[in-house]
Amino acid sequence: MNRLNIKNICCIGAGYVGGPTMSVIADKCPNIIINVVDLNEQRIKNWNDPDFDKLPIYEPGLGEIVKRCRNKNLFFSNLIREKIQEADMIFISVNTPTKKRGLGAGKASDLKWVEACARQVAQFSKGHTIVVEKSTLPVRTAEVIKSILNEVEKSLKDNSEPKTFDVLSNPEFLSEGSAINDLLNPDRVLIGGENIHAINSLVEIYKNWVSEEKILTTNVWSSELAKLTSNAFLAQRVSSINSISALCEVTGANVKEVARAIGSDSRIGSKFLNSGPGFGGSCFKKDILNLVYLSEFFGLPEVAAFWESVVNLNSWHQNRISRLITKKLFGTLSNKKIVVLGFAFKANTNDTRESAAIQICKNLLDEEAYLVIHDPKVKFEQIEIDLEKNVLGNDSIDKNKLNISKGGNWHFADNLNKIFENADAVIILTEWDIYKKLNWQEVSKIMRRPSWIFDTRSILNTNDIKELGLNFWQIGDGIG
Ligand SMILES: NC(=O)c1ccc[n+]([C@@H]2O[C@H](COP(=O)([O-])OP(=O)(O)OC[C@H]3O[C@@H](n4cnc5c(N)ncnc54)[C@H](O)[C@@H]3O)[C@@H](O)[C@H]2O)c1
């Protein structure tokens, strides 16, 4: 197999994708030196922290891998220029959020960080470099990267040290919370490219732990579009089942029973059929909106409208939950204490980007609720940013403070002790295991009556909770 022998990799972007992905490659390819670089100094400091609990990203299994490889063949630094110079393969793994202003605002991806990377690579690289798009990008972005790199290739034709480039698309399909397992046992690895030698170089890296039949090669644009489509299909499934949960609640059906029945059909399959508070995470909404933008751009308004409805349903669903909570609590949340369990967009991650908890909590605060928010991995500073509202003191929660009039405020709880005292309601927003194991009998004794439990993740047993004399609402349950 013709290929370049890759000895030195640089990954630009030490985030939720760059950090775990490169850690796994380093672990599986001990002969390759891997440098993960980032503009963000604090993030790099955290990646280099001697305490592995302080890594900037929480993912089960990540700490052990970083422990094995860091400063052996895996390095984290801000030395962007130097590490680009040394690399023969460069992964671009930077953020690609939705554009906030200008052409395509609210839908198209903002490619300014990707473009900046391409320019850095063009400027600092040496010899032949394979550039790999790891970030999720709109279709035909490889062309943008190539044209920036080509200009450099052309301008340096007579130079004694010419630079040449290949561009590959290698989108990442990991799911936060199970990133390490997903990277170690991927359903597939997708590599889009033109030059077979460049493709083979990347295939050889993955072959160290992924069987060859799972490594799919395509042209660049199919690869880029496949990533957007994959996220759009997953998000569409979540919106589909969430729409049915609303229907179950009003018709006396149960969404878990419906999901089990339809999921047994092998054409539908049973995965991704759990109803919840609405999808979150940095990718689903952004990638669908990107697809909407592309469809509109290429003159396909019906296709755009179809996909946009998936996002609209998700927003409606989040608002539906907060409206429902307000209604059950007699139409007013003023002076009411509500314990919020979980703020991350899903369990086993500290990521709150686009978490359903943000919109739901904001709505409850608008109704002047007093929220006590707990999450085992999210820091209060992050919640302050997300809610655009400062936390109420950072002292430990004092029982006497709980019931005083604190309309529209929130308090952070770094543990579960005493937080339920005098609470009017508890809302489960993230499916962390610790919430499943709570002693609800003890909780029921100290809440203010009438007390409500809202389980948006379907993690509690309806009968167990009702037996304790608590009012109980569970997503999609029109029976209980
Ligand atoms: N998070 C996920 O679950 C996931 C899964 C698959 C794909 N993706 C895609 O991967 C990409 C990265 O996502 P993420 O969640 O890791 O983002 P992130 O925001 O966690 O990390 C991106 C990092 O890139 C750095 N950066 C930006 N521009 C830079 C530059 N010019 N030079 C050096 N560093 C720079 C930022 O400082 C940041 O630390 C996105 O395109 C995303 O859509 C994400």
Side-chain angles (χ1 to χ4, degrees), residues 40 90 125 149 155 190 231 300 318 322 363 392 440 449 476:
N40 184 328
I90 296 175
S125 65
L149 300 174
S155 67
L190 183 57
N231 274 351
L300 300 166
Q318 292 171 2
S322 45
N363 291 348
L392 225 177
W440 288 99
R449 302 275 161 156

Side-chain angles (χ1 to χ4, degrees), residues 12-18 37-40 43 80 93-96 113 116-117 120 134-136 172 174 176 227 282-283 286-287 353:
I12 310 179
Y16 283 85
V17 168
V37 295
D38 204 293
L39 294 168
N40 184 328
R43 212 168 212 187
I80 298 176
S93 204
V94 298
N95 34 327
T96 50
W113 291 275
C117 284
Q120 285 168 323
K134 197 47 141 169
S135 296
T136 305
E172 185 46 62
L174 67 77
E176 283 177 33
K227 173 62 193 175
S282 66
C283 296
K286 145 179 102 69
D287 293 350
R353 289 177 292 181

Side-chain angles (χ1 to χ4, degrees), residues 23-175:
S23 300
V24 167
I25 296 182
D27 203 27
K28 295 294 176 186
C29 309
N31 297 327
I32 302 179
I33 300 290
I34 300 186
N35 284 291
V36 186
V37 295
D38 204 293
L39 294 168
N40 184 328
E41 288 182 11
Q42 187 56 46
R43 212 168 212 187
I44 291 298
K45 248 189 212 156
N46 293 348
W47 277 112
N48 286 321
D49 201 298
D51 180 352
F52 289 90
D53 285 337
K54 292 198 179 140
L55 297 182
I57 285 159
Y58 173 71
E59 275 295 338
L62 175 65
E64 289 89 83
I65 296 185
V66 174
K67 204 180 215 170
R68 276 200 295 276
C69 304
R70 197 174 67 190
N71 297 332
K72 291 189 183 112
N73 67 328
L74 176 67
F75 303 89
F76 296 92
S77 76
N78 302 109
L79 303 172
I80 298 176
R81 178 192 186 123
E82 289 89 327
K83 299 308 168 191
I84 288 177
Q85 269 171 358
E86 291 167 14
D88 30 37
M89 181 176 272
I90 296 175
F91 285 79
I92 297 181
S93 204
V94 298
N95 34 327
T96 50
T98 305
K99 253 182 117 175
K100 289 210 172 97
R101 51 177 70 87
L103 192 66
K107 288 186 184 145
S109 281
D110 194 337
L111 296 181
K112 70 176 171 219
W113 291 275
V114 172
E115 190 181 324
C117 284
R119 291 183 191 280
Q120 285 168 323
V121 173
Q123 196 181 350
F124 304 135
S125 65
K126 289 192 165 164
H128 185 71
T129 310
I130 300 174
V131 179
V132 184
E133 298 176 343
K134 197 47 141 169
S135 296
T136 305
L137 297 168
V139 186
R140 305 199 91 93
T141 305
E143 249 175 18
V144 176
I145 296 176
K146 263 203 114 172
S147 64
I148 292 171
L149 300 174
N150 280 347
E151 284 306 310
V152 176
E153 265 186 34
K154 272 192 253 157
S155 67
L156 293 176
K157 271 267 148 61
D158 299 329
N159 194 300
S160 52
E161 270 192 87
K163 299 184 188 196
T164 51
F165 302 96
D166 276 303
V167 180
L168 300 176
S169 159
N170 173 222
E172 185 46 62
F173 292 98
L174 67 77
S175 172

Side-chain angles (χ1 to χ4, degrees), residues 350-414:
N350 59 347
D351 196 350
T352 64
R353 289 177 292 181
E354 298 293 342
S355 175
I358 299 173
Q359 190 55 49
I360 293 174
C361 288
K362 277 185 171 175
N363 291 348
L364 301 178
L365 288 169
D366 277 350
E367 292 286 348
E368 300 197 307
Y370 166 47
L371 305 181
V372 176
I373 304 178
H374 174 270
D375 189 289
K377 293 290 172 193
V378 178
K379 298 201 164 83
F380 83 84
E381 293 92 334
Q382 184 58 48
I383 302 177
E384 280 190 326
I385 294 168
D386 290 334
L387 294 181
E388 300 166 280
K389 196 170 176 69
N390 287 341
V391 67
L392 225 177
N394 193 20
D395 48 347
S396 63
I397 297 172
D398 170 348
K399 163 176 147 198
N400 300 317
K401 275 190 186 170
L402 297 181
N403 237 1
I404 55 173
S405 176
K406 291 285 183 194
N409 275 314
W410 70 280
H411 208 132
F412 180 71
D414 57 10

